[in-house]
Amino acid sequence: KNEVEQSPQNLTAQEGEFITINCSYSVGISALHWLQQHPGGGIVSLFMLSSGKKKHGRLIATINIQEKHSSLHITASHPRDSAVYICAVRETSGSRLTFGEGTQLTVNP
Amino acid sequence: DSGVTQTPKHLITATGQRVTLRCSPRSGDLSVYWYQQSLDQGLQFLIQYYNGEERAKGNILERFSAQQFPDLHSELNLSSLELGDSALYFCASSVSGVAKNIQYFGAGTRLSVL
């Protein structure tokens, strides 16, 4: 079992739909990151969370430390949101990031 | 643009060779991280440097080594290359090495070992 698991692995949506990507982890963490990887390969940090909820534009990230679970929501999805979304956790025991396998999101017009 | 610069963007080489990947962190960032992304393994942490000193080590092979120079740029050296080393190598930087700092990623170096 991976320390960081994401679901779903693949997600196809129609433009305008509300999207949720889930991340569960099994280790103690000091922070959780959501990353976006574009088709060209570049990685962008979307959020870093240690508690609660953060919002940036149409993106919302939440974390429940007790349940060891985080969600990334995209409201009013758009084809330009098509990318791989990766959850990564920073364990309390060190400074390394451990990554989930990513969720491939495709938003069709 | 994240402010993290990686060179080269692409590298094609043969098995047994040695290559050096370079990373310049964002201005003011002291910490540099190296990651490998291969098709079968996903993203994996290799190594972290903070202000010239090794801070944390991940799944880095003995054939690989890294260093961070006084001007804070970092180099990842890969030697005795094997086909399985073909991957995207990312560098990231953060202000310090603590948990609450966002890591900013470079565009990556795509290494193809033939």
Side-chain angles (χ1 to χ4, degrees), chain A residues 3 27-31 33 88-99, chain B residues 33-35 43-48 55-60 97 99 103:
Chain A
E3 291 174 336
V27 296
I29 69 168
S30 54
H33 298 250
V89 301
R90 185 158 182 163
E91 298 179 32
T92 48
S93 58
S95 52
R96 60 185 292 172
L97 284 181
T98 303
F99 298 86
Chain B
Y33 308 78
W34 285 99
Y35 299 97
L43 266 165
Q44 290 195 91
F45 168 73
L46 294 178
I47 198 164
Q48 178 200 358
R55 173 66 70 88
K57 216 166 186 174
N59 303 323
I60 188 165
Q103 293 183 25

Side-chain angles (χ1 to χ4, degrees), chain A residues 30 37 41 45 48 50 90 95, chain B residues 37 48 90 97-100 103:
Chain A
S30 54
Q37 186 168 26
S45 290
M48 187 190 63
S50 53
R90 185 158 182 163
S95 52
Chain B
Q37 186 178 38
Q48 178 200 358
F90 288 99
V98 300
K100 296 202 181 297
Q103 293 183 25

